[in-house]
Every structure is written in C-alpha cells, then in structure tokens.
Amino acid sequence: MIFRDNPVLIRELLVTLRSSRSFAILFVYVSFLGAVVYFAWPAEGKMVSPERAQRLFDMFFLGQFFLVALVAPSFASGSIAGEKERKTYEMLLASPLRPVNILIGKLLSSLTYLVILIISSLPLMILCFLLGGILLSEIARAYLILILAAGTFGLLSLACSSYFGRTSSALVVSYLVILPLAVVAIVLTRSDDVVLRDFVSIAVMPPWCLGIWAVVVSLINRRLLRPPDVGSEGKEVIDESQEMKYAIGVVIDRDLFPDKLFAPAKRTDLMPDGTNPVLDKELRSEIFSQGTLMLRVVIQVSMLLSIPLMAALLFLRPENAAYYVSYVLTFNLLVGPVFSAGSITQERERQTLSLLLTTLLTPGSIVFAKLVAALRVSTVLTFLLTEQLLLAYVMVEELRGRFWTLGVFLLIILTTCLATSTIGLLCSALSRRTSVAMVATYLVLLILFAGPIGARKYLEGFQEQLSVGVIESLTISSPYSAAFSVPMAFTPANSPGFQVGSMQGRTLEISGVEVPTWAAFLAIYPPACLLLFGTTYLAFRIRWWQAGGTG
C-alpha cells in the first residue's frame, strides 16, 4: 500500500513523468553533459595524466551535487505547501490515507525525477573511468553520496513545506537550511586526505543521513497527524500582535529601525494624493499576509551563519573578503526572487488581477510599484549582512588601507539586488503560476551567476590555448566573478604569502583593452536591468492588461 497502491505517489508520478517538459529537460541535461565530455576528450583517446581525468570527474560530481542541492528543494518544497495554496490540503488529510502514506508519496514523487537525472549521467561518468586515473569505488562512493544527499535535502524541504503556507516561503527557508549542509558535505567528502574522505563518505554520512531521515519523518508525520494549520479560511489572516506573543528569537517591530524599512507600519489614515496604492499596499501588508515566520527564520539563520564567516573570512584572513561578499550575494540570490517572482502571478492566483486591472492605474505604475516593493525588501534584508563587512573595514588595519574596495563591494551587492528583483518580476509577468515563475527565476539566475564560473573552470582545465582575458570575459554576468576581481592581496604577487592573487584582480578583454571585471559588471547590469524592466512592462501590458487578466 505504501508504494505500489499509493494514490498520491501514482498521481504525482503520472503528472510529472508523462509531461513533455520532463523528457525535454532530461534530453537537454544529458546532451549538455555529453557535450562537456566530448570537448574535454583528448584527440589521442587517453589522458596525458590521470589528474585531468580526475578533474573532469570532480566537475561531474560537484555539478551534480549542487544540482541535487538546488533542484531537490524546488521539487519538494511545494509538495504540501502547494496543497495549501490550492485549498486541497484539508481534503487530502481527510482521506483514508495514513500520514506516512502521504509523506512517502510526496517524497518519492518529488525525488524520482531527480534520481532519474542523476542515474542518466552514469554512462558519461563511466567514460571518465575509461580515461584512467579513477577507481570504480570512487564512482560508487560519489553516487552513494548523491542519493543520500537527495533523500536528506528532499526530506528537509518537505518539512519546510509542511510548516509554511506558501511554496515561496518554504523554498527560501529550505535553501537557507540546505546550502550550509551542502557546503560542509563538499568540504569533507572532497578533502585531499584520502583516509578522511573515505571515512566521512562511508562511515559518517550514511548513519547521519539515516538519523536525520528518522527525525524529520517523525516531525512531518506528527504534523500531518495533528495539523495545526487547518480550519476556517479566516485563519489565513494573521493577527500580528497575537503572533508576536509567541515569537521565538527575532521579533519584527514595524515602528523601529531597520524593520520599518522593509515593514512600515500599517496605515491608519487616508493615503495622500499622488500615492501609488499598489506600492503602499505591497510594502505595508502584502509581505505579512501569511505572518512573519518566514522572515524571522531568514533573518535568524542568515545572521547566525554570518558570525563564523565574519571571523574566518574578514578578521582572520581579510584578503578573503570576497568570500564573505559571495555569501551575501548568495543570500540575495535565494531571497530576492521570493519577493518578486510572485508579484504578478499571485494576483492571478488570488483572483485579484482582474480587479487590479479595472482601476485607474496605468500598467507602468503597477509594474513599477511591484518592482520597487520587491527591491526594497530584498535589498534591506541583504544589506543587514553588510554590517559585518563595515565592522571589519573599520577594525582590521589591512582593510582600512583598501577602503575604496568597500564601496566596490557594496555597489556589486546593490547591483545584484536590482538584477534578482528585475529578473524575478519579468518571470512573474511571463508565467501563469508562482511556482513556475520561481523556478524559472532561480534557473536564469544560476545560469547568469554560477554558470560562467563553472565554464571558466572547465576552459582553464581543457582549453589552454585561450588567453586569461578571453576566458574571464565569459564571466562578466557573474557578481561572484566581479567580487573576486577586486584586488585584495596584501602582499606582493611574487612573495610566498601571496595566496589568492590568482583569483583576484582579474581583467577581461574588451576591444583589446583590459578592463577590471568588477567595472564591466557595474557598467553592464544597470542598463540591462532597465531593458529587462521595459520588457516586463511590455509583457504585462500584452499578456495581462490587454487580455483583461483572463489570459
């Protein structure tokens, strides 16, 4: 009954695996991996050194591991939260199915397609073995880690989905919990110490993952058995004052700084003439229509992670300041789309889009208000993490000597905030469902931000004939590359203490002129975002305005 005759599992699998989109994604994924192997394959048929085969194998493993870490939440975080959004959650709980059947059906249906993607890469991974320098035991260990990671990340995402009423909230909290675990797992399983690597992969990870599975399954099963979030529809309206009485940790006070920057107090008077009602409504009430739990978790987790990172990357090793900036950029990459990708689609899902279109507001004012509201919230939350950066530049002598780099870092972060919000709003204007817009936004951002970094590593390893400037030009769309191009080495490049110069101070070639990567990034993205905003306006006007919100 749990597996073979589970109606939840059968229904979800039929919907997922029979869609043409699933076959298209699988084809594109395998084709991409095949292209990577094809262009890396040596003309003589065998690798000159085993290190190059190991490098290709590491690329495959790391790429698939982060694929699991990024895709598993997108599949699982909407499993239960999506039922709540579609008003079918109570119907599912009232069925004869036991909670464990619902849990297993949702989990397996969320991870089956991801496991298919992982297994489809096995033949290409075997090709790395044929090139020499890799053991079959390494391949087996790699796939064991991938399967354990998929199960662990999927269960954690499913737990978040059971605690939140919106897929977007469950998704961002899932990422905040999963990505630190993914980084720790990568550090331990890819260590240069072979004994430590094998011990962690074989003796530590399996029992720890099974322990996490048992705890998380127990929590989800208890919540499904005695759900606290069912009842009258009036429970969807959160009484903030009542919620704050039981809030643990951060308490959001709309009247205090900096809370009032992203959560201004509710309006008790009439709006002044000329006020954009959409912007006023988005800032003052829309964010908290489902309570403050998601925001409080986001703030608490991000601040908790920033403390050890600040000590390790800013005070002990100030030349690694770009790594802390990368942490801030990653935070915005995860949080930014939550407030922008659902801006338009949620109006349609709540059946308020037609009402909005009947107002006297122009489509330009509506789209602009949606962008400003999303940008303001994500920017304020992101810049809360820059307090540690400012503190380090004031207290650390080496950083005070390069105070101008602080301004560059802050500009890179601000530009990234603008990019994530603009891209999310565009995907929201082009999509019909919030979940589709959210996944599309994350996919585009990963291609623009993380994709160029992987392409540079690939070309550096297998295309030595290309110059450094040409390879660096491929990373112009990545804020991570821009952050690491800021010169932060405090010792001469020819001295023994120079460790990170190979990563920092890079330049790219534009019409034969060498330009710092960070300068090119700051010059290109603002006009690009303006162009994307114009595209969003046209898409909203054509798709929704002219169609009267029924398209």
Side-chain angles (χ1 to χ4, degrees):
M1 178 64 182
I2 293 181
F3 298 101
R4 186 182 62 183
D5 299 324
N6 191 319
V8 176
L9 176 61
I10 294 174
R11 184 262 177 190
E12 297 284 349
L13 288 181
L14 288 177
V15 172
T16 302
L17 299 182
R18 284 188 175 181
S19 65
S20 57
R21 184 183 305 172
S22 300
F23 290 97
I25 293 175
L26 181 61
F27 174 77
V28 172
Y29 177 68
V30 176
S31 299
F32 173 75
L33 294 181
V36 171
V37 175
Y38 175 79
F39 288 108
W41 196 271
E44 62 272 19
K46 60 180 180 179
M47 286 292 184
V48 178
S49 63
E51 288 76 13
R52 298 187 65 180
Q54 186 67 44
R55 183 186 182 93
L56 182 61
F57 173 77
D58 289 341
M59 286 182 56
F60 267 80
F61 172 75
L62 292 175
Q64 291 192 93
F65 187 87
F66 281 107
L67 173 73
V68 170
L70 295 171
V71 173
S74 66
F75 286 156
S77 59
S79 297
I80 299 178
E83 299 283 352
K84 299 175 183 178
E85 292 174 330
R86 294 189 297 269
K87 312 300 181 187
T88 57
Y89 182 52
E90 296 180 21
M91 186 185 304
L92 180 63
L93 296 179
S95 67
L97 292 173
R98 293 182 299 169
V100 66
N101 295 71
I102 299 175
L103 171 59
I104 293 179
K106 290 293 187 181
L107 177 64
L108 294 183
S109 62
S110 302
L111 298 182
T112 298
Y113 187 67
L114 179 59
V115 173
I116 292 176
L117 290 178
I118 295 174
I119 296 177
S120 65
S121 66
L122 184 58
L124 296 171
M125 192 78 81
I126 295 297
L127 291 177
C128 299
F129 168 74
L130 297 178
L131 291 172
I134 301 173
L135 300 175
L136 283 177
S137 60
E138 291 185 83
I139 298 178
R141 184 177 63 244
Y143 277 86
L144 173 63
I145 295 173
L146 291 175
I147 297 300
L148 290 174
T152 304
F153 297 159
L155 272 174
L156 290 174
S157 301
L158 202 62
C160 293
S161 184
S162 68
Y163 275 86
F164 292 94
R166 287 189 178 183
T167 301
S168 56
S169 301
L171 186 63
V172 68
V173 174
S174 299
Y175 279 134
L176 286 176
V177 173
I178 287 171
L179 288 184
L181 295 178
V183 172
V184 172
I186 284 294
V187 172
L188 294 177
T189 58
R190 306 310 298 172
S191 172
D192 294 332
D193 189 341
V194 179
V195 176
L196 174 62
R197 186 175 61 200
D198 293 341
F199 176 75
V200 171
S201 302
I202 299 175
V204 175
M205 284 195 65
W208 270 95
C209 288
L210 293 177
I212 293 175
W213 293 4
V215 173
V216 175
V217 167
S218 175
L219 293 175
I220 300 176
N221 187 69
R222 181 183 305 174
R223 190 169 180 85
L224 292 178
L225 187 62
R226 297 179 178 86
D229 48 357
V230 297
S232 66
E233 295 297 327
K235 286 187 176 181
E236 292 184 355
V237 180
I238 302 296
D239 186 349
E240 289 184 38
S241 60
Q242 187 71 15
E243 184 189 28
M244 291 305 175
K245 294 181 181 179
Y246 305 100
I248 299 176
V250 174
V251 175
I252 298 176
D253 192 330
R254 292 171 175 260
D255 297 320
L256 298 179
F257 180 88
D259 298 4
K260 62 182 179 182
L261 293 179
F262 62 88
K266 291 182 178 180
R267 184 176 292 280
T268 58
D269 55 351
L270 297 177
M271 288 187 297
D273 293 338
T275 302
N276 190 322
V278 177
L279 177 60
D280 195 76
K281 169 251 186 184
E282 291 283 340
L283 287 178
R284 295 181 183 274
S285 61
E286 177 64 14
I287 299 170
F288 298 100
S289 60
Q290 295 292 328
T292 63
L293 177 60
M294 186 270 286
L295 275 179
R296 287 190 278 112
V297 172
V298 166
I299 294 173
Q300 290 174 162
V301 173
S302 61
M303 288 296 183
L304 180 64
L305 292 176
S306 68
I307 295 174
L309 291 176
M310 174 185 65
L313 302 177
L314 296 177
F315 286 88
L316 298 180
R317 297 290 299 276
E319 67 273 13
N320 289 334
Y323 285 97
Y324 183 83
V325 175
S326 297
Y327 165 69
V328 179
L329 296 174
T330 303
F331 174 82
N332 181 257
L333 172 65
L334 299 178
V335 173
V338 174
F339 302 107
S340 59
S343 296
I344 298 174
T345 54
Q346 286 179 356
E347 296 282 358
R348 181 176 181 271
E349 292 170 343
R350 292 192 300 266
Q351 299 180 356
T352 57
L353 182 59
S354 299
L355 181 62
L356 180 63
L357 298 180
T358 58
T359 64
L360 298 178
L361 296 172
T362 63
S365 61
I366 295 175
V367 174
F368 180 75
K370 295 286 187 180
L371 176 62
V372 172
L375 179 62
R376 175 171 171 173
V377 177
S378 65
T379 301
V380 172
L381 292 178
T382 302
F383 270 78
L384 289 177
L385 299 178
T386 61
E387 297 176 358
Q388 292 82 344
L389 194 63
L390 296 173
L391 182 64
Y393 269 87
V394 172
M395 299 182 62
V396 179
E397 182 178 356
E398 292 89 341
L399 292 176
R400 286 201 300 267
R402 290 178 176 268
F403 208 82
W404 67 273
T405 59
L406 174 62
V408 176
F409 284 140
L410 295 179
L411 286 176
I412 292 174
I413 295 172
L414 182 61
T415 304
T416 304
C417 294
L418 176 63
T420 55
S421 297
T422 306
I423 293 173
L425 187 62
L426 176 59
C427 292
S428 184
L430 296 175
S431 304
R432 293 176 178 271
R433 295 172 55 189
T434 301
S435 58
V436 175
M438 194 80 63
V439 173
T441 303
Y442 281 121
L443 180 61
V444 172
L445 292 176
L446 287 175
I447 293 175
L448 291 176
F449 291 1
I453 304 298
R456 183 176 66 185
K457 294 294 183 183
Y458 173 79
L459 293 175
E460 286 177 347
F462 301 102
Q463 302 290 339
E464 292 86 351
Q465 65 270 24
L466 296 178
S467 65
V468 175
V470 173
I471 295 177
E472 187 70 15
S473 63
L474 300 175
T475 66
I476 193 172
S477 65
S478 173
Y480 298 108
S481 181
F484 279 105
S485 69
V486 179
M488 294 296 296
F490 304 119
T491 55
N494 56 359
S495 69
F498 188 74
Q499 300 291 331
V500 296
S502 60
M503 300 179 63
Q504 296 174 328
R506 290 199 177 203
T507 61
L508 52 87
E509 294 181 4
I510 300 180
S511 301
V513 180
E514 292 189 354
V515 179
T517 305
W518 60 266
F521 173 83
L522 295 177
I524 289 177
Y525 257 91
C529 290
L530 182 61
L531 179 63
L532 290 176
F533 176 77
T535 305
T536 303
Y537 166 76
L538 293 177
F540 178 76
R541 186 177 182 89
I542 295 173
R543 187 176 179 85
W544 303 116
W545 187 267
Q546 294 182 356
T550 61

